Amino acid sequence: MKNLVLAVLAIFTLSTSAQERRQDRKGHDHMKEIMKDLTPEEVANLKTKKMTLRLDLTDRQQQQVESILLDQAIERQKKREARNGKAEGEKPSKEEFLKMENQRLDHQIEMKRQMKEILSEEQYAKFEKMKPRRHHKKGRRAKKK
């Protein structure tokens, strides 16, 4: 009888935690929808403020970082608009994929180079540790298993 009660309790606990995770994702999806409606200027401004809080940027650094982030946001919006013109679920060819990946990596390299010029060594070290959350969560899930 004890084993049955423990098994039911374990199943109930697991199903509750799974439901909580799904609800967290719904909140994240809602934020994604809101972010899509923001202008590139608003996105750049928000990201700059977040970086200012994390890296303690000076006014001059804020202006330089916001300029970089604005360029990125405009580029991202152009890509999103171009994607909306294509059929849904249409996958790029091997050549298109390779071209897109190379462009993405080139932009990342350029961003790093520019940030290295703008930030102090201490700030840049903090910036390097600021990785996108999705990579961080992947690692955490793998460790839990």
Side-chain angles (χ1 to χ4, degrees), residues 35-70:
M35 290 295 285
K36 283 183 183 177
D37 294 336
L38 296 178
T39 66
E41 291 80 12
E42 292 169 332
V43 171
N45 189 283
L46 287 174
K47 287 185 175 187
T48 301
K49 287 182 180 184
K50 286 179 183 181
M51 287 184 75
T52 299
L53 289 171
R54 290 184 182 148
L55 302 175
D56 194 29
L57 301 177
T58 65
D59 290 339
R60 183 169 181 262
Q61 287 174 323
Q62 285 178 40
Q63 291 171 351
Q64 292 172 323
V65 168
E66 187 167 9
S67 171
I68 294 169
L69 294 175
L70 179 59

Side-chain angles (χ1 to χ4, degrees), residues 124-135:
Y124 186 76
K126 283 183 185 178
F127 172 73
E128 281 294 298
K129 290 180 183 176
M130 292 171 33
K131 297 293 180 191
R133 290 182 184 177
R134 61 180 168 233
H135 297 297

Side-chain angles (χ1 to χ4, degrees), residues 17-32:
S17 66
Q19 288 175 358
E20 288 174 3
R21 284 189 194 139
R22 268 191 239 122
Q23 289 173 349
D24 289 344
R25 286 189 191 130
K26 285 180 186 175
H28 182 69
D29 290 342
H30 176 69
M31 291 303 293
K32 279 177 125 178

